[in-house]
Amino acid sequence: MSKHGIILFGHGARDARWAEPFERLAARLRAARSEPVSLAFLELMTPDLPGAVAEQAASGCDAVTVVPVFFGQGGHVRRDLPQIIDACRAAHPALTIHCATAVGEDDAVLDAIAAYCMRQLDA
Amino acid sequence: MSKHGIILFGHGARDARWAEPFERLAARLRAARSEPVSLAFLELMTPDLPGAVAEQAASGCDAVTVVPVFFGQGGHVRRDLPQIIDACRAAHPALTIHCATAVGEDDAVLDAIAAYCMRQLDA
């Protein structure tokens, strides 16, 4: 049976509290599905993406979807991420690795952020 | 009559395409209300927050709500932003400046991101 992991890929930050929404996001996804859900970071936090991919491969995943938890498709998503994904594919040739568009490009995510902004006017 | 502006405060990036979701977010808010909606950035993009606040004050706003378009409450939001807001308040004593929590801390925003992640599994 196939096993399909999700990796939430974020920038990383010096302050550990920065990662709290990522942990809450992972918890939501773990509640919604039984297959692996991991976090990975570009810098300043661990694990990095190659580490998270290796762990999901070792746990028996044959497919992994990487979701960039970034607002925009800037240099980190357009330039750094494809290079890291290529290295992961080379390291795990039996693993299918999908890479999504940054979450902030999604209309429904932008709608939710806009609604949040409107609520702040009455706060 | 009171005039209440919104400023969407983002990190900024070298790649101009990074700001596209911020522009789309601003467009949604401008469609929802007639009062000013501006973008401002911490670094690498313009205007900065003091510039955006000065422009809204000059346009007749008596209140401004700054919404940090960040996922987490890391150092930029916990340490840098309050200092900038304090300087803006000192520069514009007649202006009421509210500052919201980072958008990524909001449950409905996290729900929308989680739903996006789940849809990527079928993409």
Side-chain angles (χ1 to χ4, degrees), chain B residues 1 34 59:
Chain B
M1 197 190 126
S34 57
S59 80

Side-chain angles (χ1 to χ4, degrees), chain A residues 2-94:
Chain A
S2 75
K3 194 169 170 185
H4 190 156
I6 295 179
I7 298 178
L8 303 168
F9 177 65
H11 185 280
R14 282 182 185 79
D15 186 334
R17 290 170 293 190
W18 181 83
E20 285 171 12
F22 293 81
E23 299 285 358
R24 288 164 60 198
L25 184 55
R28 276 168 164 74
L29 292 167
R30 288 180 189 125
R33 63 198 306 270
S34 58
E35 294 172 87
V37 178
S38 314
L39 302 184
F41 300 97
L42 179 66
E43 58 187 44
L44 301 169
M45 289 176 162
T46 56
D48 62 9
L49 186 53
V53 168
E55 194 176 339
Q56 292 208 352
S59 80
C61 286
D62 43 29
V64 169
T65 291
V66 177
V67 181
V69 185
F70 284 73
F71 289 107
Q73 297 270 118
H76 292 319
V77 175
R78 287 182 190 270
R79 189 188 58 235
D80 300 335
L81 180 56
Q83 291 179 7
I84 302 169
I85 296 266
D86 283 350
C88 292
R89 287 182 175 133
H92 305 280

Side-chain angles (χ1 to χ4, degrees), chain B:
Chain B
M1 197 190 126
S2 75
K3 194 169 171 187
H4 191 156
I6 295 180
I7 298 178
L8 303 168
F9 178 65
H11 185 280
R14 282 184 184 77
D15 186 334
R17 290 170 293 191
W18 181 84
E20 284 171 13
F22 293 81
E23 299 285 359
R24 289 166 58 200
L25 184 56
R28 276 168 163 74
L29 292 168
R30 288 182 188 124
R33 65 198 304 271
S34 57
E35 293 172 88
V37 178
S38 313
L39 303 184
F41 300 97
L42 180 66
E43 58 188 43
L44 301 169
M45 290 178 160
T46 57
D48 62 10
L49 185 54
V53 168
E55 193 177 339
Q56 292 208 352
S59 80
C61 286
D62 43 28
V64 169
T65 291
V66 177
V67 181
V69 185
F70 285 72
F71 289 107
Q73 297 271 116
H76 291 319
V77 175
R78 287 182 190 271
R79 190 189 57 236
D80 301 335
L81 181 56
Q83 291 179 7
I84 302 170
I85 296 266
D86 282 349
C88 291
R89 286 182 176 134
H92 305 281
L95 187 67
T96 302
I97 305 180
H98 306 276
C99 188
T101 301
V103 302
E105 299 277 337
D106 182 59
D107 277 324
V109 170
L110 287 177
D111 285 342
I113 296 174
Y116 174 75
C117 293
M118 293 298 290
R119 290 198 304 278
Q120 302 317 301
L121 292 169
D122 308 315

